[in-house]
Amino acid sequence: MSPKRIRRSTEIAKPLVPDELWKIIEPLIPAYEPTSRGGRPPVGDRECLTGILFVLKTGIPWEDLPQEMGCGSGMTCWRRLRKWQRAGVWKKLHHELLVHLQEAGQLDWSRAAVDSSSVRAVGGGGQTGPNPTDRRKLGSKHHVIVEANGIPLGTTLTGANRHDVTQLLTLVDGIEPVAGKRGRPRKRPDELYADRAYDSEPHRQELQRRGIVPHLARRNTEHGSGLGVFRWVSERTLGWLHGFRRLRVRFDRADELHEAFLDLAQSIICFRKLNKKFC
């Protein structure tokens, strides 16, 4: 490639951590605690976040993280990801973005949908299990709940052998109250849609007790219930999540790190909805 084309490609490349996103994340990151051992100054938080997002998007191993990016070593970014996960940074980021979306009138609480998708877990680790759809090879399952437009309201991680319905109430109850408009913060959709894997009378009753109208497809009935018209957004959101290559196949043995990537990915999806320029 000619120098002119390289320069042009650099000019049009989008930053992994744009200023708008950094303004939201920076206040959530714990302050650095200096040590008395001396040594090199720590790599900046924004540089580390750039490396983390690069691994999330490309799926490359930590040790292959390009030094030219200025984000330190792969282990530095790995440790920062773990530290921030334990401090709850990614959960806080997701909630903060939901508040911004609520303020912008982009959250539709009239209905929600849930779904799941399994991925292979190379090397095993926590929250894995034999995948019945992949010759019982070890895998994990991503569960997601989305509002009417497909914006993720929450995710969970389980072994691939866990039944979908076990996460239904966990996903619903895991939605934190979202402020941003006058009145009481919202945390419950009016209706909930799901496929046959979630067919359960006790769960229907629990949803009704929470003030949610359940639309759970029933087993042993003909296809064509019409619920897919509302459920498809959850399948699309899972496709968005797996557009991040680090989530297509699980390489992280520590479940907290894979959950961190899952939480960060749903936050990026929310940010893309909030900032149409970052797509």
Side-chain angles (χ1 to χ4, degrees), residues 190-194 203-205 207-208 212-216:
D190 296 330
E191 302 177 347
L192 183 68
Y193 290 80
H203 286 79
R204 286 189 178 89
Q205 295 172 11
L207 290 173
Q208 291 171 347
I212 302 173
V213 179
H215 297 279
L216 311 180

Side-chain angles (χ1 to χ4, degrees), residues 27-31 33 79-93 256 260 263:
L28 306 177
I29 294 178
E33 299 178 1
R79 284 192 293 265
R80 209 70 63 93
L81 174 67
R82 184 183 60 178
K83 176 184 177 181
W84 292 343
Q85 170 70 0
R86 293 177 176 177
V89 171
W90 311 125
K91 294 289 187 184
K92 295 174 185 176
L93 172 62
E256 66 175 343
D263 290 336

Side-chain angles (χ1 to χ4, degrees), residues 113-171:
V114 297
D115 207 344
S116 71
S117 181
S118 297
V119 296
R120 184 172 297 182
V122 178
Q127 298 293 358
T128 63
N131 187 347
T133 64
D134 190 19
R135 296 173 290 177
R136 298 189 63 80
K137 293 182 178 179
L138 281 181
S140 293
K141 187 177 287 188
H142 300 152
H143 306 261
V144 64
I145 181 169
V146 305
E147 51 79 75
N149 298 312
I151 296 174
L153 300 174
T155 58
T156 60
L157 175 71
T158 68
N161 56 332
R162 290 291 301 276
H163 200 285
D164 291 351
V165 76
T166 62
Q167 298 301 300
L168 179 58
L169 298 180
T170 301
L171 287 167

